[in-house]
Amino acid sequence: MFIVTGASGKLGRKIIENLLLHVPATSIGASVRDPSKVTDIEARGVRVRQGDFSDAEGLRHAWAGARRLLLISSNAAATGGDPLEQHATAIRVAREIGVERVFYTSQVSSAASSQFPPGRCHAATEEMLARSGLAWTAMRHGFYAESALMMNKRGFDAGSLEGPEDGPVAWVTHDDLAAADAALLVGREDIDGPTPPLTGSETLDLAGLAEVAGELLGRPVSRTIVSEETVKARACAAGAHHGTVAVMLGYYRAARAGEFAATDPALARILGRSPETMREFLKANL
């Protein structure tokens, strides 16, 4: 059975949708903290069971019969939780129940020295997997294109993208990543350890995003650099959790350091087509 964790989230749902193109619904299991959020998935014949990375016994039940398991990384750090503790529990349970291969949603910034807090977490999780004795694949996703909209919604509306100095990012869509993740999960090809960067074929910094957005919107969109202190003060005043602020500032630092700039043909190879460009994504979503 193919098990997907976090199936109620944006990426998890899309992975399930793509899996249904490859295998029968009866061979797919969805592991979610709240099954009531995926009744539509269950109605399509997918097995749905409650599973929480903090509950090993619950995971054993949720993942029963798993042959290939896709772990969508925890975002617990954003609210003060410990994603590494959760990942350790998940990996231990996967080993105990005899999963053949674990797939983990990592990121291109994965490194112990990353300026991006999730990048350090991904690197530590990959190390856990390497020591686990399990066959494993870490899908090193590029930075989500949707994040560009979320982080800059007010800026696109106002006509000025504000933030500290940044750097080039090889943006990639949830749709393309979900299709590739599903293809790897069902065995289109097996990659041991980290994949090459699963990214778009071009890079854009905030200035580039502003230029493209201005052309698409038919009005000027500028790029304004402000200090990290200003961004932090605004976020704290808005009530953002300190973990969220750390991730936000880490993004700019990592982008400046080139941590999101790598491009690779691996995603296009797995998809059998070119990934969606950022211009195409912005045209459809701005």
Side-chain angles (χ1 to χ4, degrees):
M1 179 165 275
F2 303 97
I3 302 293
V4 177
T5 72
S8 60
K10 187 177 183 68
L11 180 65
R13 276 185 170 277
K14 289 181 178 293
I15 291 172
I16 294 281
E17 290 169 5
N18 279 275
L19 279 177
L20 288 167
L21 302 176
H22 294 283
V23 297
T26 52
S27 66
I28 304 171
S31 172
V32 292
R33 284 179 292 182
D34 184 357
S36 69
K37 293 183 177 180
V38 291
T39 53
D40 57 320
I41 291 175
E42 189 171 26
R44 298 177 70 178
V46 173
R47 188 186 83 182
V48 174
R49 292 185 177 177
Q50 199 276 336
D52 189 314
F53 284 175
S54 300
D55 175 12
E57 191 57 39
L59 293 181
R60 292 185 187 95
H61 173 69
W63 300 351
R67 184 169 66 86
R68 290 187 162 220
L69 170 68
L70 193 151
L71 298 177
I72 292 183
S73 56
S74 169
N75 62 357
T79 54
D82 186 350
L84 290 180
E85 182 178 338
Q86 293 185 341
H87 293 167
T89 298
I91 293 167
R92 184 178 73 251
V93 170
R95 185 175 61 245
E96 290 172 357
I97 66 175
V99 171
E100 289 182 12
R101 180 175 289 271
V102 173
F103 296 81
Y104 170 70
T105 57
S106 186
Q107 213 238 13
V108 292
S109 66
S110 176
S113 59
S114 176
Q115 300 278 351
F116 191 50
R120 299 193 292 273
C121 180
H122 290 312
T125 302
E126 289 180 6
E127 181 60 28
M128 289 182 203
L129 286 164
R131 296 195 308 263
S132 70
L134 292 161
W136 62 283
T137 302
M139 286 93 71
R140 287 197 171 174
H141 290 173
F143 216 92
Y144 294 144
E146 187 173 85
S147 296
L149 293 181
M150 293 173 59
M151 292 187 298
N152 298 289
K153 183 182 185 307
R154 184 176 300 175
F156 284 125
D157 291 341
S160 176
L161 304 190
E162 292 191 352
E165 184 181 351
D166 64 319
V169 177
W171 305 96
V172 62
T173 67
H174 280 78
D175 285 341
D176 285 341
L177 289 174
D181 290 352
L184 291 173
L185 185 60
V186 299
R188 179 171 293 176
E189 63 177 277
D190 280 339
I191 300 174
D192 290 318
T195 66
L198 300 178
T199 67
S201 58
E202 61 181 5
T203 62
L204 286 172
D205 59 9
L206 286 185
L209 287 178
E211 181 178 354
V212 172
E215 293 172 4
L216 294 173
L217 294 171
R219 56 178 170 79
V221 179
S222 63
R223 165 70 169 109
T224 304
I225 293 178
V226 297
S227 69
E228 288 190 9
E229 291 74 18
T230 297
V231 170
K232 182 177 181 179
R234 289 175 179 172
C236 291
H241 188 276
H242 65 83
T244 301
V245 176
V247 169
M248 184 189 310
L249 296 179
Y251 162 78
Y252 290 104
R253 296 167 186 167
R256 286 198 301 271
E259 293 187 30
F260 308 129
T263 60
D264 194 278
L267 180 60
R269 184 187 74 244
I270 295 167
L271 293 175
R273 58 171 173 79
S274 298
E276 184 176 1
T277 68
M278 198 57 177
R279 176 178 287 273
E280 292 167 336
F281 176 81
L282 290 176
K283 183 177 182 179
N285 290 280
L286 268 182

